[in-house]
Amino acid sequence: PILSLANLYIAAGSALWADKLPDDFGNTTPTILYRVRGGGGPDTRVPSTEASYEFFIYGGTRFYDDTEALARLLYDRLHGAIMQTTASGVLMSAHQEVPNQNATEPETEYPRAFTAYAVETRSL
């Protein structure tokens, strides 16, 4: 996915997961989980896709401050991004749809934040 090669690696490095966390996840590294939650889909007039992505953000510690810091970094890197070329395509635009919300992971009680972004991408 284009998102994994755009600004998200800057924020989370290799701890970036699509759809689900690894079974051995222990919240020891700042981590971002993302998945498509809907959107306009492909545009038949141009090779682009609009989608809404949801993000679950883990700070890598038991402190909400670390989770909030990573959520803010994601916002700074992604919100308002336009026309950024990556190895697999172009991030045409992105904006936050749902403000960062702190919560607790139900099974593990790890602190996490939730947010969602509308993103338009285009293949190369």
Side-chain angles (χ1 to χ4, degrees):
I2 290 173
L3 279 181
S4 67
L5 295 174
N7 291 322
L8 300 186
Y9 272 126
I10 296 169
S14 61
L16 178 66
W17 303 98
D19 296 322
K20 75 178 215 97
L21 293 169
D23 291 337
D24 62 349
F25 178 71
N27 194 32
T28 56
T29 302
T31 300
I32 296 174
L33 169 72
Y34 70 97
R35 59 183 161 224
V36 175
R37 68 183 199 138
D43 185 336
T44 57
R45 298 167 290 168
V46 294
S48 70
T49 299
E50 285 185 39
S52 177
Y53 287 85
E54 62 184 8
F55 295 90
F56 294 96
I57 302 157
Y58 301 84
T61 70
R62 59 185 178 92
F63 302 108
Y64 275 102
D65 288 350
D66 295 322
T67 298
E68 290 173 10
L70 184 56
R72 180 65 191 177
L73 179 59
L74 176 66
Y75 178 88
D76 291 345
R77 300 290 184 189
L78 197 55
H79 180 72
I82 57 170
M83 300 306 290
Q84 294 185 9
T85 302
T86 71
S88 59
V90 178
L91 176 67
M92 296 181 65
S93 68
H95 70 273
Q96 189 178 50
E97 295 178 304
V98 177
N100 295 334
Q101 301 172 13
N102 286 337
T104 302
E105 175 72 37
E107 292 95 33
T108 62
E109 297 189 7
Y110 296 142
R112 73 175 183 189
F114 169 79
T115 186
Y117 287 82
V119 179
E120 183 178 3
T121 56
R122 178 178 52 114
S123 58
L124 291 175

